[in-house]
Amino acid sequence: MKRYILILFALLTFQAAYTEAQELNARVQVQAPAVPNIDKRNIEVLQKIITEFLNNNKWTNETYAPQERIDCNFVITITDWDGNNAYKAEAQLQSSRPVYGSAYNSTILNLSDKDFDFGYTEGSSLDFSDQNFISNLSSLLTYYAYTIIGLDKDSFSRLGGTPLFKKAQNILNNAQNSGTKGWKAFDGLRNRYWLNENLLNKTFEDLRGFIYDYHFNGLDRLQDNTGRGVKKMITLLSGLKQMDKQKLGSIFPNFYFATKADEVVNVFSIPTGDPSDRIRAYNLLVEIDPANINKYEALNQSNNPAIPGNNNNPQGLNNNSTGTRN
């Protein structure tokens, strides 16, 4: 009887862990290489409390299995400290999602925030609120948590991230009277305001739709028939030709294409049986994303070298491993 009770307890524990798993699997690094007088303990405390805030809060009402949590990185570089509780900082943010049937993770977000300033006093709680502005640090982390989850959802369902981007918009609106930079339109052209505006702007719905097709109908299907899959992904590119060329310098397409440039070169270098496919991909990419033309030049070479470390699969995609979510 005791044995059955233990088994039941183990099953209930597993079920609780499964149903209560949070959405993010965040790795946080806080550093201050150019601030000589900062206490090392301050950095350790900040790193711990930010990690706990991102990983322990429940950001949606949905159920995430532990293996479905979204891998993301927050590298926060403190550039100045007032000796008390005010920090000037920058942040590098990155998130990725697994590719079906492989051990490869495809980067979704790779973004720098130059205005990641915040205040924090050791021993104080870092609270979360959807409805009120509590602190700039809480708002920054909450805003990016919603944005990361939203972009992840966009890669699994067409425009699936919209509810999360609207939640991020609410955080943004609440933070606009805080007196800190990055939350308002006139704070710059590449800030949190414009990122959220772009993500909810109908002008960029084609790009958001491409994110879904590229990942869910493209990368996730490469294992079925690699050559045919690459051809389909090239065809998907043509849909972006309709995007307003005057909008290409906006923060959303700018960071997205910069994030994806190396990966798409590897993908479209996979042989399809028709050498003209690579040239077609090159012509489409330089029209859609002229800012990264130097990277795309590899597709225009007559003898493009084999992709190292795989058998005609992008950056390590292989048929013998699994890396799935949803």
Side-chain angles (χ1 to χ4, degrees), residues 188-223:
L189 296 177
R190 299 179 185 277
N191 60 20
R192 295 180 292 278
Y193 174 89
W194 288 112
L195 174 60
N196 185 258
E197 191 278 342
N198 284 189
L199 289 168
L200 288 171
N201 193 320
K202 288 188 178 297
T203 300
F204 298 109
E205 283 190 355
D206 286 343
L207 179 54
R208 288 180 60 197
F210 174 78
I211 290 175
Y212 165 70
D213 282 325
Y214 174 84
H215 292 93
F216 194 78
N217 293 322
L219 289 181
D220 286 344
R221 303 290 185 265
L222 281 184
Q223 304 302 330

Side-chain angles (χ1 to χ4, degrees), residues 119-146:
Y120 179 73
T121 301
E122 183 178 349
S124 61
S125 61
L126 185 58
D127 297 320
F128 158 68
S129 172
D130 258 344
Q131 304 303 320
N132 302 297
F133 177 84
I134 297 177
S135 71
N136 205 50
L137 182 56
S138 173
S139 293
L140 286 166
L141 299 175
T142 302
Y143 171 89
Y144 280 118
Y146 285 142

